[in-house]
Structures are given as C-alpha cells and as structure tokens.
Coordinates of all heavy atoms in Angstrom, one line a residue:
M1 N -5.3 22.3 -14.8 CA -5.6 20.9 -14.4 C -6.8 20.8 -13.6 O -6.9 21.5 -12.6 CB -4.4 20.1 -13.8 CG -4.7 18.6 -13.6 SD -3.4 17.7 -12.8 CE -2.0 18.0 -13.8
T2 N -7.9 20.0 -13.8 CA -9.1 19.9 -13.1 C -8.8 19.0 -12.0 O -7.8 18.3 -11.9 CB -10.2 19.3 -13.9 OG1 -9.9 17.9 -14.2 CG2 -10.4 20.1 -15.3
T3 N -9.7 19.0 -11.0 CA -9.7 18.1 -9.9 C -9.6 16.5 -10.3 O -8.8 15.9 -9.7 CB -10.8 18.5 -8.8 OG1 -10.9 19.8 -8.5 CG2 -10.7 17.7 -7.6
L4 N -10.4 16.3 -11.3 CA -10.5 15.0 -11.8 C -9.2 14.6 -12.3 O -8.7 13.5 -12.1 CB -11.6 14.7 -12.7 CG -13.0 14.8 -12.0 CD1 -14.0 14.6 -13.2 CD2 -13.2 13.7 -11.0
D5 N -8.5 15.4 -13.0 CA -7.3 15.1 -13.7 C -6.2 15.0 -12.6 O -5.3 14.0 -12.6 CB -6.8 16.3 -14.6 CG -7.7 16.5 -15.8 OD1 -8.2 15.3 -16.2 OD2 -7.7 17.4 -16.4
A6 N -6.1 16.0 -11.6 CA -5.2 15.8 -10.5 C -5.4 14.6 -9.6 O -4.4 13.9 -9.4 CB -5.4 17.0 -9.5
D7 N -6.6 14.1 -9.5 CA -6.9 12.8 -8.8 C -6.4 11.6 -9.6 O -5.7 10.8 -9.1 CB -8.4 12.6 -8.5 CG -8.7 11.5 -7.7 OD1 -8.2 11.3 -6.5 OD2 -9.3 10.6 -8.2
A8 N -6.6 11.8 -10.9 CA -6.1 10.6 -11.8 C -4.6 10.5 -11.8 O -4.0 9.3 -11.8 CB -6.6 10.8 -13.1
V9 N -3.9 11.7 -11.8 CA -2.4 11.7 -11.8 C -2.0 11.1 -10.5 O -1.0 10.4 -10.5 CB -2.0 13.1 -12.0 CG1 -0.5 13.2 -11.7 CG2 -2.3 13.5 -13.5
R10 N -2.6 11.6 -9.4 CA -2.1 11.0 -8.0 C -2.3 9.6 -7.9 O -1.3 8.9 -7.5 CB -3.0 11.7 -7.1 CG -2.6 11.4 -5.6 CD -3.6 12.0 -4.4 NE -3.2 11.7 -3.2 CZ -3.9 11.8 -2.2 NH1 -5.0 12.4 -2.2 NH2 -3.3 11.5 -0.9
R11 N -3.4 9.0 -8.5 CA -3.6 7.6 -8.4 C -2.6 6.9 -9.4 O -2.1 5.8 -8.9 CB -5.0 7.2 -8.8 CG -6.0 7.6 -7.7 CD -7.5 7.4 -8.3 NE -8.4 8.1 -7.4 CZ -8.9 7.5 -6.2 NH1 -8.6 6.3 -5.8 NH2 -9.8 8.3 -5.4
R12 N -2.3 7.2 -10.5 CA -1.1 6.7 -11.3 C 0.2 6.8 -10.5 O 0.9 5.7 -10.7 CB -1.2 7.5 -12.6 CG -2.3 7.1 -13.6 CD -2.0 7.4 -15.1 NE -1.7 8.9 -15.2 CZ -2.6 9.8 -15.4 NH1 -3.9 9.5 -15.5 NH2 -2.4 11.0 -15.5
K13 N 0.5 7.8 -10.0 CA 1.8 8.0 -9.2 C 1.9 6.9 -8.1 O 2.9 6.2 -7.9 CB 1.9 9.4 -8.6 CG 2.2 10.3 -9.7 CD 2.6 11.7 -9.1 CE 3.0 12.8 -10.2 NZ 3.1 14.1 -9.6
I14 N 0.7 6.8 -7.4 CA 0.7 5.8 -6.3 C 0.7 4.4 -6.8 O 1.5 3.6 -6.3 CB -0.7 6.1 -5.4 CG1 -0.7 7.3 -4.7 CG2 -1.0 4.8 -4.5 CD1 -2.0 7.7 -4.1
S15 N 0.1 4.2 -8.0 CA 0.2 2.7 -8.5 C 1.7 2.6 -8.9 O 2.2 1.4 -8.6 CB -0.6 2.7 -9.7 OG -0.6 1.4 -10.2
F16 N 2.3 3.4 -9.5 CA 3.7 3.3 -10.0 C 4.5 3.1 -8.8 O 5.3 2.1 -8.8 CB 4.3 4.5 -10.7 CG 5.6 4.3 -11.2 CD1 5.9 3.7 -12.4 CD2 6.7 4.7 -10.4 CE1 7.2 3.5 -12.8 CE2 7.9 4.6 -10.8 CZ 8.3 3.9 -12.0
R17 N 4.5 3.9 -7.8 CA 5.2 3.6 -6.5 C 4.9 2.3 -5.8 O 5.9 1.7 -5.2 CB 5.0 4.9 -5.6 CG 5.6 6.1 -6.0 CD 5.4 7.2 -5.0 NE 6.0 6.9 -3.7 CZ 5.4 7.3 -2.5 NH1 4.5 8.1 -2.6 NH2 6.0 7.1 -1.4
A18 N 3.7 1.9 -5.9 CA 3.4 0.6 -5.2 C 4.1 -0.6 -5.9 O 4.5 -1.5 -5.2 CB 1.9 0.5 -5.2
W19 N 4.2 -0.4 -7.2 CA 4.9 -1.5 -7.9 C 6.4 -1.4 -8.0 O 7.1 -2.2 -8.6 CB 4.3 -1.8 -9.4 CG 3.0 -2.5 -9.3 CD1 1.8 -2.0 -9.5 CD2 2.8 -3.8 -9.2 NE1 0.8 -3.0 -9.6 CE2 1.5 -4.2 -9.4 CE3 3.8 -4.9 -9.0 CZ2 1.1 -5.5 -9.0 CZ3 3.2 -6.1 -8.8 CH2 2.0 -6.5 -9.0
H20 N 7.0 -0.2 -7.5 CA 8.4 0.0 -7.6 C 8.9 0.3 -6.3 O 9.5 1.4 -6.2 CB 8.6 1.1 -8.7 CG 8.2 0.6 -10.0 ND1 7.1 0.9 -10.6 CD2 9.0 0.1 -11.1 CE1 6.9 0.4 -11.7 NE2 8.1 -0.1 -12.2
R21 N 8.8 -0.6 -5.3 CA 9.3 -0.3 -4.1 C 10.7 -0.4 -3.8 O 11.3 0.2 -3.0 CB 8.4 -1.3 -3.0 CG 7.0 -1.3 -3.1 CD 6.5 -0.3 -2.2 NE 7.2 -0.3 -0.8 CZ 7.2 0.9 0.0 NH1 6.7 1.9 -0.4 NH2 8.0 0.7 1.1
G22 N 11.3 -1.6 -4.4 CA 12.7 -1.8 -4.0 C 12.8 -3.2 -3.8 O 14.0 -3.7 -4.0
T23 N 11.9 -3.9 -3.2 CA 12.0 -5.3 -3.0 C 10.8 -5.9 -3.7 O 9.7 -5.5 -3.7 CB 12.0 -5.8 -1.3 OG1 10.7 -5.4 -0.8 CG2 13.1 -5.2 -0.7
R24 N 10.9 -7.2 -4.2 CA 9.9 -7.8 -5.0 C 8.8 -8.1 -4.0 O 7.6 -8.1 -4.5 CB 10.5 -9.1 -5.6 CG 9.6 -9.7 -6.6 CD 9.4 -8.8 -7.8 NE 8.4 -9.4 -8.6 CZ 7.4 -8.7 -9.4 NH1 7.4 -7.4 -9.3 NH2 6.6 -9.4 -10.1
E25 N 9.0 -8.6 -2.9 CA 8.0 -9.0 -1.9 C 7.1 -7.8 -1.8 O 5.8 -7.9 -1.9 CB 8.5 -9.3 -0.6 CG 9.3 -10.7 -0.7 CD 10.8 -10.5 -1.0 OE1 11.1 -9.4 -1.4 OE2 11.4 -11.5 -1.0
M26 N 7.6 -6.6 -1.6 CA 6.7 -5.4 -1.3 C 6.2 -5.0 -2.6 O 5.0 -4.4 -2.5 CB 7.5 -4.4 -0.4 CG 7.9 -4.7 0.9 SD 6.4 -5.3 1.7 CE 5.3 -4.0 1.8
D27 N 6.8 -5.0 -3.8 CA 6.1 -4.7 -4.9 C 4.8 -5.5 -5.1 O 3.8 -5.0 -5.5 CB 7.1 -5.1 -6.2 CG 8.4 -4.2 -6.4 OD1 8.3 -3.2 -5.7 OD2 9.1 -4.6 -7.2
L28 N 4.9 -6.8 -4.7 CA 3.8 -7.7 -5.0 C 2.7 -7.2 -4.0 O 1.5 -7.3 -4.3 CB 4.1 -9.2 -4.8 CG 5.0 -9.7 -6.0 CD1 5.6 -11.0 -5.6 CD2 4.1 -9.7 -7.3
I29 N 3.1 -7.1 -2.7 CA 2.1 -6.7 -1.7 C 1.4 -5.3 -2.0 O 0.1 -5.3 -2.0 CB 2.8 -6.7 -0.3 CG1 3.2 -8.3 0.1 CG2 1.8 -6.2 0.7 CD1 4.0 -8.4 1.3
M30 N 2.2 -4.5 -2.1 CA 1.4 -3.1 -2.3 C 1.0 -2.9 -3.8 O -0.1 -2.3 -3.9 CB 2.7 -1.9 -2.1 CG 3.2 -2.0 -0.7 SD 2.1 -1.9 0.7 CE 2.2 0.0 0.8
G31 N 1.6 -3.5 -4.8 CA 1.2 -3.3 -6.2 C -0.2 -4.1 -6.4 O -1.1 -3.5 -7.0
R32 N -0.2 -5.3 -5.8 CA -1.5 -6.1 -6.0 C -2.6 -5.4 -5.3 O -3.7 -5.2 -5.9 CB -1.3 -7.5 -5.5 CG -0.6 -8.4 -6.5 CD -0.3 -9.7 -5.9 NE 0.4 -10.6 -6.9 CZ 0.8 -11.7 -6.7 NH1 0.6 -12.3 -5.4 NH2 1.4 -12.5 -7.4
F33 N -2.4 -4.8 -4.1 CA -3.4 -4.1 -3.4 C -3.7 -2.9 -4.2 O -5.0 -2.6 -4.3 CB -2.9 -3.7 -1.9 CG -3.8 -2.8 -1.3 CD1 -4.9 -3.5 -0.5 CD2 -3.9 -1.5 -1.2 CE1 -5.8 -2.7 0.2 CE2 -4.8 -0.7 -0.5 CZ -5.7 -1.4 0.2
A34 N -2.8 -2.2 -4.6 CA -3.1 -0.9 -5.5 C -4.0 -1.3 -6.8 O -5.0 -0.6 -7.0 CB -1.8 -0.2 -5.9
D35 N -3.6 -2.3 -7.4 CA -4.4 -2.6 -8.5 C -5.8 -2.9 -8.3 O -6.7 -2.5 -9.0 CB -3.8 -3.8 -9.2 CG -2.5 -3.6 -10.1 OD1 -2.1 -2.4 -10.2 OD2 -1.9 -4.5 -10.4
A36 N -6.0 -3.6 -7.1 CA -7.4 -4.0 -6.8 C -8.2 -2.9 -6.1 O -9.4 -2.9 -6.3 CB -7.3 -5.2 -5.9
E37 N -7.6 -2.2 -5.4 CA -8.4 -1.2 -4.4 C -8.2 0.4 -4.7 O -9.0 1.1 -4.1 CB -7.9 -1.5 -3.0 CG -8.1 -2.9 -2.5 CD -9.7 -3.2 -2.4 OE1 -10.3 -2.4 -1.9 OE2 -9.9 -4.4 -2.6
L38 N -7.1 0.7 -5.5 CA -7.0 2.1 -5.6 C -8.0 2.9 -6.1 O -8.3 4.0 -5.6 CB -5.6 2.2 -6.6 CG -4.9 3.6 -6.5 CD1 -4.5 3.9 -5.2 CD2 -3.7 3.5 -7.5
A39 N -8.7 2.4 -7.1 CA -9.9 3.1 -7.7 C -10.9 3.5 -6.6 O -11.7 4.5 -6.7 CB -10.5 2.3 -8.9
S40 N -11.1 2.6 -5.5 CA -12.1 2.9 -4.6 C -11.8 3.6 -3.4 O -12.5 3.9 -2.6 CB -12.7 1.5 -4.2 OG -11.8 0.8 -3.4
L41 N -10.5 4.0 -3.3 CA -10.0 4.8 -2.1 C -10.4 6.2 -2.2 O -10.3 6.9 -3.2 CB -8.4 4.5 -2.0 CG -7.9 3.3 -1.8 CD1 -6.2 3.3 -1.8 CD2 -8.3 2.6 -0.7
D42 N -10.8 6.7 -1.0 CA -11.1 8.1 -0.9 C -9.7 8.9 -0.6 O -8.7 8.2 -0.5 CB -12.3 8.5 0.1 CG -11.8 8.1 1.5 OD1 -10.5 7.8 1.8 OD2 -12.6 7.9 2.4
A43 N -9.9 10.2 -0.6 CA -8.6 11.1 -0.3 C -7.9 10.7 1.0 O -6.8 10.6 1.0 CB -9.0 12.5 -0.4
A44 N -8.6 10.4 2.0 CA -8.0 10.1 3.3 C -7.3 8.7 3.1 O -6.1 8.6 3.7 CB -9.0 10.1 4.5
A45 N -7.9 7.9 2.5 CA -7.2 6.5 2.3 C -6.1 6.6 1.5 O -5.0 6.0 1.7 CB -8.2 5.5 1.8
L46 N -6.1 7.6 0.4 CA -4.9 7.6 -0.5 C -3.8 8.2 0.4 O -2.7 7.9 0.1 CB -5.4 8.7 -1.6 CG -6.2 8.2 -2.6 CD1 -6.6 9.2 -3.6 CD2 -5.6 6.8 -3.4
D47 N -4.1 9.2 1.2 CA -3.1 9.8 2.3 C -2.5 8.7 3.0 O -1.1 8.7 3.2 CB -3.8 10.8 3.1 CG -4.2 12.1 2.4 OD1 -3.8 12.4 1.2 OD2 -5.0 12.9 3.0
S48 N -3.2 7.8 3.7 CA -2.8 6.8 4.4 C -1.8 5.8 3.5 O -0.9 5.3 4.1 CB -3.9 6.0 5.1 OG -4.6 6.7 6.0
F49 N -2.3 5.5 2.3 CA -1.5 4.5 1.6 C -0.1 5.2 1.2 O 0.9 4.6 1.2 CB -2.3 4.3 0.3 CG -1.8 3.1 -0.6 CD1 -1.1 2.1 0.1 CD2 -2.0 3.0 -1.9 CE1 -0.6 1.0 -0.6 CE2 -1.5 2.0 -2.7 CZ -0.9 1.0 -2.0
E50 N -0.2 6.6 0.8 CA 1.1 7.2 0.5 C 2.0 7.3 1.7 O 3.2 7.0 1.6 CB 0.7 8.6 0.1 CG 0.2 8.7 -1.4 CD -0.1 10.1 -1.8 OE1 -0.9 10.9 -1.0 OE2 0.2 10.5 -2.9
A51 N 1.4 7.4 3.0 CA 2.2 7.4 4.1 C 2.9 6.2 4.3 O 4.1 6.1 4.8 CB 1.5 7.9 5.3
L52 N 2.1 5.1 4.2 CA 2.7 3.7 4.4 C 3.8 3.5 3.3 O 4.9 2.9 3.8 CB 1.7 2.7 4.2 CG 0.8 2.4 5.4 CD1 -0.3 1.4 5.0 CD2 1.5 2.1 6.6
M53 N 3.7 4.0 2.2 CA 4.8 3.8 1.2 C 6.1 4.6 1.5 O 7.1 4.4 0.8 CB 4.2 4.0 -0.3 CG 3.2 3.1 -0.6 SD 2.9 3.0 -2.5 CE 2.1 4.5 -2.6
E54 N 5.9 5.5 2.3 CA 7.1 6.3 2.8 C 8.0 5.4 3.9 O 9.2 5.8 4.1 CB 6.8 7.6 3.5 CG 6.2 8.6 2.6 CD 7.1 9.0 1.4 OE1 8.3 9.1 1.7 OE2 6.7 9.0 0.2
Q55 N 7.5 4.4 4.4 CA 8.0 3.5 5.3 C 9.1 2.5 4.6 O 8.9 2.1 3.4 CB 7.1 2.5 6.1 CG 6.1 3.5 6.9 CD 6.7 4.2 8.0 OE1 7.6 4.1 8.5 NE2 6.1 5.5 8.1
P56 N 10.2 2.2 5.3 CA 11.2 1.3 4.8 C 10.6 -0.2 4.4 O 9.8 -0.7 5.4 CB 12.3 1.1 5.7 CG 12.1 2.3 6.7 CD 10.6 2.7 6.6
D57 N 11.0 -0.8 3.4 CA 10.4 -2.1 3.0 C 10.5 -3.1 4.1 O 9.7 -3.8 4.4 CB 11.1 -2.5 1.7 CG 10.5 -2.0 0.4 OD1 9.4 -1.2 0.6 OD2 10.9 -2.3 -0.6
P58 N 11.6 -3.3 4.8 CA 11.7 -4.3 5.8 C 10.8 -4.0 7.0 O 10.1 -5.0 7.4 CB 13.2 -4.2 6.3 CG 14.0 -3.5 5.2 CD 13.0 -2.5 4.5
D59 N 10.5 -2.9 7.4 CA 9.6 -2.5 8.4 C 8.3 -2.9 8.0 O 7.4 -3.5 8.7 CB 9.8 -1.1 8.9 CG 11.0 -0.8 9.6 OD1 11.7 -1.8 10.0 OD2 11.4 0.3 9.7
L60 N 7.8 -2.4 6.8 CA 6.5 -2.5 6.2 C 6.2 -3.9 6.0 O 5.1 -4.3 6.4 CB 6.4 -1.7 5.1 CG 5.0 -1.5 4.4 CD1 4.1 -0.9 5.3 CD2 5.1 -0.7 3.0
Y61 N 7.1 -4.7 5.6 CA 6.9 -6.2 5.4 C 6.5 -6.9 6.9 O 5.7 -7.7 7.0 CB 8.1 -6.9 4.7 CG 7.8 -8.4 4.5 CD1 7.1 -8.8 3.4 CD2 8.3 -9.3 5.3 CE1 6.9 -10.1 3.2 CE2 8.0 -10.7 5.1 CZ 7.4 -11.0 4.1 OH 6.9 -12.4 3.9
K62 N 7.4 -6.6 7.8 CA 7.1 -7.2 9.1 C 5.8 -6.8 9.6 O 5.1 -7.6 10.3 CB 8.2 -6.6 10.1 CG 9.5 -7.3 9.8 CD 10.6 -6.7 10.7 CE 12.1 -7.3 10.3 NZ 13.1 -6.7 11.1
W63 N 5.3 -5.5 9.4 CA 4.0 -5.1 9.9 C 2.9 -5.8 9.1 O 2.0 -6.3 9.7 CB 3.8 -3.6 9.8 CG 4.9 -2.9 10.5 CD1 5.7 -3.3 11.6 CD2 5.4 -1.4 10.2 NE1 6.5 -2.2 12.1 CE2 6.3 -1.2 11.1 CE3 5.1 -0.6 9.1 CZ2 7.0 0.0 11.2 CZ3 5.7 0.5 9.1 CH2 6.7 0.9 10.1
V64 N 3.1 -5.8 7.8 CA 2.0 -6.6 7.1 C 1.9 -8.0 7.4 O 0.8 -8.6 7.4 CB 2.3 -6.3 5.5 CG1 1.3 -7.1 4.6 CG2 2.0 -4.7 5.1
S65 N 3.0 -8.6 7.4 CA 3.0 -10.1 7.7 C 2.8 -10.5 9.1 O 2.6 -11.6 9.5 CB 4.4 -10.6 7.3 OG 5.4 -10.2 8.1
G66 N 2.7 -9.4 10.0 CA 2.5 -9.7 11.5 C 3.7 -10.1 12.2 O 3.5 -10.6 13.5
E67 N 5.0 -10.1 11.6 CA 6.1 -10.3 12.4 C 6.6 -9.4 13.5 O 7.3 -9.8 14.3 CB 7.2 -10.6 11.4 CG 7.2 -11.7 10.4 CD 8.2 -11.8 9.5 OE1 9.2 -11.1 9.7 OE2 8.1 -12.3 8.4
A68 N 6.1 -8.2 13.3 CA 6.3 -7.1 14.3 C 5.1 -6.2 14.6 O 4.2 -6.1 13.7 CB 7.6 -6.1 13.7
P69 N 4.9 -5.8 15.7 CA 3.8 -4.9 16.1 C 4.0 -3.5 15.2 O 5.0 -3.1 15.0 CB 3.8 -4.6 17.5 CG 5.4 -4.9 17.8 CD 5.9 -5.9 16.8
V70 N 2.7 -3.0 14.9 CA 2.6 -1.8 14.2 C 2.8 -0.7 15.1 O 2.2 -0.6 16.2 CB 1.2 -1.6 13.5 CG1 1.2 -0.3 12.7 CG2 1.0 -2.8 12.7
P71 N 3.8 0.2 14.7 CA 4.1 1.4 15.8 C 3.0 2.4 15.7 O 2.2 2.3 14.8 CB 5.3 2.1 15.2 CG 5.8 1.5 13.8 CD 4.8 0.3 13.7
P72 N 2.8 3.1 16.8 CA 1.6 3.9 17.0 C 1.5 5.2 16.0 O 0.4 5.6 15.8 CB 1.7 4.6 18.4 CG 3.2 4.3 18.9 CD 3.6 3.1 18.1
D73 N 2.7 5.4 15.3 CA 2.6 6.6 14.5 C 2.3 6.1 12.9 O 2.2 7.0 12.0 CB 4.0 7.3 14.4 CG 5.1 6.5 13.9 OD1 5.1 5.3 14.2 OD2 6.1 7.0 13.2
V74 N 1.8 4.8 12.7 CA 1.4 4.2 11.5 C 0.0 4.0 11.5 O -0.4 3.5 12.7 CB 2.4 2.9 11.2 CG1 1.8 2.3 10.0 CG2 3.8 3.3 11.2
D75 N -0.6 4.2 10.4 CA -2.1 4.0 10.4 C -2.3 2.4 10.3 O -2.4 1.8 9.3 CB -2.6 4.6 9.1 CG -4.1 4.5 8.9 OD1 -4.7 3.7 9.6 OD2 -4.7 5.3 8.2
A76 N -2.6 1.8 11.5 CA -2.7 0.4 11.8 C -4.0 0.0 11.0 O -4.0 -1.2 10.5 CB -2.8 0.2 13.2
A77 N -5.0 0.8 11.0 CA -6.3 0.5 10.4 C -6.1 0.2 8.8 O -6.6 -0.8 8.2 CB -7.4 1.4 10.5
F78 N -5.4 1.1 8.2 CA -5.1 1.0 6.8 C -4.2 -0.1 6.5 O -4.4 -1.0 5.7 CB -4.6 2.3 6.1 CG -4.7 2.3 4.6 CD1 -5.8 2.5 4.0 CD2 -3.5 1.9 3.8 CE1 -5.9 2.6 2.7 CE2 -3.7 1.8 2.5 CZ -4.9 2.0 1.9
L79 N -3.2 -0.4 7.4 CA -2.2 -1.6 7.2 C -3.1 -2.9 7.3 O -2.9 -3.8 6.5 CB -1.1 -1.5 8.2 CG 0.0 -2.3 8.0 CD1 0.7 -2.1 6.8 CD2 0.9 -2.2 9.2
A80 N -4.1 -2.8 8.2 CA -5.0 -4.0 8.3 C -5.7 -4.3 7.1 O -5.9 -5.5 6.7 CB -5.7 -3.9 9.5
R81 N -6.1 -3.4 6.5 CA -6.9 -3.3 5.3 C -5.9 -4.1 4.2 O -6.5 -4.9 3.4 CB -7.4 -2.0 4.8 CG -8.2 -2.0 3.6 CD -8.7 -0.6 3.2 NE -9.4 -0.6 2.1 CZ -10.0 0.5 1.5 NH1 -10.1 1.5 2.2 NH2 -10.8 0.3 0.5
I82 N -4.7 -3.7 4.1 CA -3.9 -4.3 3.1 C -3.6 -5.8 3.6 O -3.7 -6.6 2.7 CB -2.5 -3.6 3.0 CG1 -2.8 -2.2 2.5 CG2 -1.4 -4.3 2.3 CD1 -1.5 -1.3 2.6
R83 N -3.4 -5.9 4.8 CA -3.1 -7.4 5.4 C -4.3 -8.2 5.0 O -4.3 -9.4 4.6 CB -3.0 -7.3 6.8 CG -2.6 -8.7 7.4 CD -2.3 -8.7 9.0 NE -1.4 -7.8 9.3 CZ -1.5 -6.7 10.1 NH1 -2.6 -6.7 10.8 NH2 -0.6 -5.8 10.6
D84 N -5.6 -7.7 5.4 CA -6.8 -8.5 5.0 C -7.1 -8.9 3.6 O -7.4 -9.9 3.3 CB -8.1 -7.7 5.6 CG -8.1 -7.7 7.2 OD1 -7.3 -8.4 7.9 OD2 -8.9 -6.9 7.7
F85 N -6.7 -7.8 2.7 CA -6.7 -8.0 1.3 C -6.0 -9.4 1.0 O -6.4 -10.2 0.2 CB -6.3 -6.8 0.6 CG -6.2 -7.0 -0.8 CD1 -7.2 -7.1 -1.7 CD2 -4.9 -7.2 -1.4 CE1 -7.1 -7.1 -3.1 CE2 -4.6 -7.5 -2.8 CZ -5.8 -7.4 -3.7
H86 N -4.7 -9.3 1.3 CA -3.8 -10.4 1.0 C -4.2 -11.7 1.8 O -4.0 -12.8 1.2 CB -2.4 -10.1 1.2 CG -1.9 -9.1 0.2 ND1 -1.7 -9.4 -1.1 CD2 -1.7 -7.8 0.3 CE1 -1.4 -8.3 -1.7 NE2 -1.3 -7.4 -0.9
A87 N -4.7 -11.7 3.0 CA -5.1 -12.8 3.7 C -6.3 -13.6 2.9 O -6.3 -14.7 2.8 CB -5.4 -12.5 5.1
N88 N -7.2 -12.7 2.5 CA -8.3 -13.2 1.7 C -8.0 -13.7 0.5 O -8.7 -14.6 -0.1 CB -9.3 -12.1 1.7 CG -10.1 -11.7 3.0 OD1 -10.1 -12.7 3.9 ND2 -10.5 -10.6 3.1
S89 N -6.8 -13.2 -0.1 CA -6.6 -13.7 -1.5 C -5.6 -14.8 -1.4 O -5.2 -15.5 -2.4 CB -5.7 -12.6 -2.3 OG -4.4 -12.4 -1.7
G90 N -5.1 -15.2 -0.1 CA -4.2 -16.3 0.1 C -2.8 -16.0 -0.2 O -1.8 -16.9 -0.1
A91 N -2.4 -14.7 -0.4 CA -1.1 -14.3 -0.7 C -0.2 -14.2 0.5 O 1.0 -14.6 0.5 CB -1.0 -13.0 -1.5
L92 N -0.8 -13.9 1.6 CA 0.1 -13.9 3.0 C -0.3 -15.1 3.7 O -1.4 -15.3 4.0 CB -0.3 -12.6 3.7 CG 0.3 -11.4 3.2 CD1 0.0 -10.2 4.0 CD2 1.9 -11.4 3.0
R93 N 0.6 -15.8 4.3 CA 0.4 -17.0 5.1 C 1.2 -16.6 6.4 O 2.3 -16.3 6.4 CB 0.9 -18.1 4.4 CG 0.5 -18.4 3.1 CD -0.1 -19.7 2.9 NE -0.3 -20.0 1.4 CZ -1.3 -19.6 0.7 NH1 -2.3 -19.1 1.3 NH2 -1.5 -20.0 -0.5
G94 N 0.5 -16.8 7.6 CA 1.2 -16.6 8.7 C 0.3 -16.2 9.8 O -0.8 -16.1 10.0

C-alpha cells in the first residue's frame, strides 16, 4: 500500500467514525465537520481529530458546546476549530 492509499484509508475510517459516534448529536457535530474539513487536514490535525473521537460523547458535547471547560489533556485548539466551524454554520447555538 502506498502512502497515498494509506492516507485515503485513514481518512475514510475517520469519516466513518465521525458519523457513527453513538449519539445523534455527536454524529452531526463530528460528521459534518469531517465532511467539510477532512480533506484539508494535515497529519497532525488528523491525529488531533482521532484523539478527540476517543473521548466519551457526553464530555465531548459539553466541550464543543461550551457547557464545560476543556481539560488540559485535550487539544483545545482543534476543539475550537470544530466549535468555530459549527458556530459559523449556525449549527451550535450558545
């Protein structure tokens, strides 16, 4: 498998995981972001996105919606990117 093939497979897996989180709210938040931004993410951003998807849905929702502070071990800058994406699209209100 070439590097390009491996990258394409990784992005497809991330997209699938983004749309199959476990709660509909997080499917929409992560899935819509993935659809719009996944192709433009570099390897470091893909790492950050994958790490965020390891977090439990209730916690992740609270962080994205601003209901709870982001813990120091979570990539707050990437989370802000997701939040900004949805704030600009009007999907998140709050």
Side-chain angles (χ1 to χ4, degrees):
M1 184 181 302
T2 68
T3 303
L4 289 177
D5 291 339
D7 185 62
V9 168
R10 181 181 186 194
R11 289 174 193 276
R12 282 194 306 270
K13 286 180 180 180
I14 292 170
S15 177
F16 181 86
R17 287 182 59 210
W19 277 108
H20 297 87
R21 299 272 319 151
T23 64
R24 189 64 182 147
E25 293 85 356
M26 290 312 301
D27 290 350
L28 292 169
I29 290 169
M30 301 299 269
R32 287 178 178 168
F33 177 82
D35 284 355
E37 301 291 324
L38 199 56
S40 67
L41 299 181
D42 62 16
L46 291 174
D47 291 343
S48 293
F49 196 28
E50 287 176 314
L52 280 177
M53 288 194 295
E54 294 298 322
Q55 302 296 325
D57 280 356
D59 294 340
L60 192 53
Y61 182 80
K62 288 176 186 175
W63 303 332
V64 170
S65 66
E67 292 177 24
V70 180
D73 62 325
V74 172
D75 186 345
F78 195 81
L79 193 62
R81 184 173 176 177
I82 294 171
R83 185 182 307 128
D84 291 346
F85 169 80
H86 287 290
N88 292 331
S89 71
L92 288 179
R93 311 229 190 272

